[in-house]
Amino acid sequence: MPLRATTGTTNLHAFEFEEGQWEELKATYKRLGLTMPCCQRAAVPKTSPLGNYFFAHARKGPCATAPESAQHLYCKQLIAQAAHAAGWTVTTERPGACPTGEAWIADVFCERGRAQVAFEVQMSPQPHAETLRRQRRYRDSGVRGAWFHAPMKSGIAPLTDKETPVFSLEDFEVGVPPRVKGFPLALPEFVEALLGKRLTYEVPEYTRTLHVGYLLGECWTCKRQLKHVCGMLDSAEQPWWYHPLTAASLSQTLAGVQAALSSSELAGLGLNRIEQYEINLGRRSKAPTSNICLHCNAPQPNEYVTEKLRAALGAPGELKNPPARVSSLLGAAVLTRTERGAGRWKLHDAAAVPSGHLAA
Ligand SMILES: [Zn+2]
Ligand SMILES: [Zn+2]
């Protein structure tokens, strides 16, 4: 159910009509030769049972454009009216094409100066891959796309990011503007905020400090000095506090280090990198995750490393309490890195508009 029909080269937008004007159009449209935007066949102005104005095919024909729900029509109307009120030139059901010729039709297309924004209302579930595909067509066409999805039955929030802004509508009935999930705004105010550059996508950053315990020793093969990685520590204070003392537990512990730090991060700390070394002395190893010598790339058998570790820690009984003698062979390397958390859209007050906004 389009909100737009054409007469000659002029667009008629149902969402711009007042009640009296719409009744007048209904009485006079036959003289105007209105056509549908989808197939250029004859169009008729109609009013939905819920009071929304739209255009329909004058008679059933071969047009394959899928029928829209009343909710879809209503949301398009709200978006179009809000964008129009915000000073944008609005065209609904607007066809366009990528430079490669791929065609698209935007539910609500808004232009102001060089900025072009397409709003899409998705009342039926759409796989995210399809949203990404359609968003890519807009991007290739120099159009910023934004998506409003009906609430998902699962309650799961749709995937959204800076490249592909997707927002969820709360349950609604035609006649009462839906609220946008997670924001204190209904759809019209939200569209105004989007177009007014008052929504930014923010990814929190934080600093994380990692402590990697090591044992000073020499390579099993080349005999050069190196730091055998022994496990992650809570702090750099007590590098003797916990260490795996069997080959199997060292392998397991090293797998944890491998998951936490990249090979280049380990190299940056002057430590061995960690790799899986499945075959040891011709047999399948039960403790495959190993230190790899940073000088000669030889895998260090976990049996060898744990033997040295036991010697550095002293007698097993001493482990129950912090040992009186802390071996100078044990140490902790400290890595500080910046990590990024989950991003989210943030609404800003009308007064403060930062850069990096949606309609950039
Ligand atoms: Zn049609
Ligand atoms: Zn070596």
Side-chain angles (χ1 to χ4, degrees):
M1 296 192 281
L3 295 176
R4 179 168 66 92
T6 53
T7 165
T9 56
T10 308
N11 283 320
L12 291 189
H13 297 288
F15 65 88
E16 289 179 8
F17 279 77
E18 304 288 349
E19 191 180 349
Q21 299 170 313
W22 191 249
E23 292 311 318
E24 194 183 323
L25 180 69
K26 278 182 167 178
T28 58
Y29 75 92
K30 283 184 179 156
R31 277 187 267 128
L32 298 172
L34 297 181
T35 59
M36 293 289 276
C38 41
C39 58
Q40 282 71 54
R41 290 167 183 273
V44 191
K46 289 193 172 178
T47 306
S48 79
L50 294 159
N52 298 127
Y53 307 151
F54 66 100
F55 294 98
H57 295 98
R59 60 177 59 90
K60 279 188 184 152
C63 179
T65 305
E68 292 171 25
S69 69
Q71 287 190 318
H72 187 242
L73 177 72
Y74 178 59
C75 288
K76 281 202 306 189
Q77 178 191 307
L78 291 177
I79 295 167
Q81 284 171 338
H84 182 69
W88 290 64
T89 302
V90 178
T91 311
T92 57
E93 303 89 26
R94 156 75 147 68
C98 303
T100 55
E102 265 185 286
W104 45 259
I105 296 172
D107 275 342
V108 182
F109 187 81
C110 309
E111 288 172 281
R112 196 167 67 176
R114 294 217 304 261
Q116 299 185 319
V117 180
F119 289 104
E120 287 291 337
V121 178
Q122 198 61 40
M123 297 310 298
S124 53
Q126 171 169 277
H128 192 61
E130 176 65 3
T131 305
L132 292 177
R133 190 184 69 84
R134 296 175 67 185
Q135 184 75 356
R136 199 247 322 136
R137 292 193 308 204
Y138 284 134
R139 188 168 55 246
D140 291 352
S141 308
V143 177
R144 191 79 169 109
W147 299 79
F148 293 104
H149 283 206
M152 293 205 211
K153 288 215 172 66
S154 61
I156 296 170
L159 292 172
T160 184
D161 62 21
K162 189 172 166 57
E163 281 298 303
T164 309
V166 181
F167 305 100
S168 204
L169 300 174
E170 292 183 1
D171 278 317
F172 70 100
E173 284 176 13
V174 171
V176 182
R179 295 183 72 86
V180 179
K181 202 168 184 151
F183 296 91
L185 301 178
L187 182 55
E189 294 81 54
F190 191 84
V191 166
E192 188 194 342
L194 271 179
L195 293 173
K197 306 171 179 178
R198 285 170 46 217
L199 272 133
T200 53
Y201 191 71
E202 308 210 338
V203 180
E205 287 193 346
Y206 51 90
T207 302
R208 190 167 168 211
T209 305
L210 298 168
H211 302 91
V212 187
Y214 64 81
L215 169 72
L216 270 177
E218 61 183 30
C219 171
W220 163 258
T221 305
C222 74
K223 309 297 179 195
R224 273 181 276 184
Q225 278 275 315
L226 44 66
K227 292 173 178 173
H228 293 293
V229 176
C230 298
M232 303 301 294
L233 302 170
D234 289 338
S235 76
E237 303 303 312
Q238 299 177 317
W240 67 88
W241 185 247
Y242 168 76
H243 282 296
L245 295 175
T246 66
S249 66
L250 178 57
S251 173
Q252 215 167 38
T253 302
L254 291 178
V257 177
Q258 195 183 22
L261 283 87
S262 68
S263 292
S264 60
E265 284 174 327
L266 288 167
L269 295 172
L271 301 174
N272 289 331
R273 70 176 189 281
I274 309 297
E275 278 177 18
Q276 271 64 37
Y277 183 59
E278 301 291 349
I279 305 297
N280 188 12
L281 304 173
R283 297 166 124 189
R284 182 157 292 277
S285 175
K286 290 198 175 94
T289 308
S290 314
N291 278 267
I292 307 293
C293 173
L294 79 167
H295 306 296
C296 72
N297 291 322
Q300 309 294 299
N302 285 328
E303 292 79 3
Y304 165 74
V305 178
T306 46
E307 185 194 313
K308 299 291 179 195
L309 201 48
R310 281 193 298 270
L313 287 164
E318 288 181 43
L319 286 175
K320 297 249 167 61
N321 306 300
R325 167 187 62 81
V326 177
S327 171
S328 57
L329 299 177
L330 294 164
V334 181
L335 174 76
T336 302
R337 70 182 175 204
T338 303
E339 297 191 354
R340 292 158 70 91
R344 64 184 192 94
W345 289 97
K346 188 166 181 238
L347 177 68
H348 300 270
D349 292 340
V353 178
S355 57
H357 44 71
L358 174 109

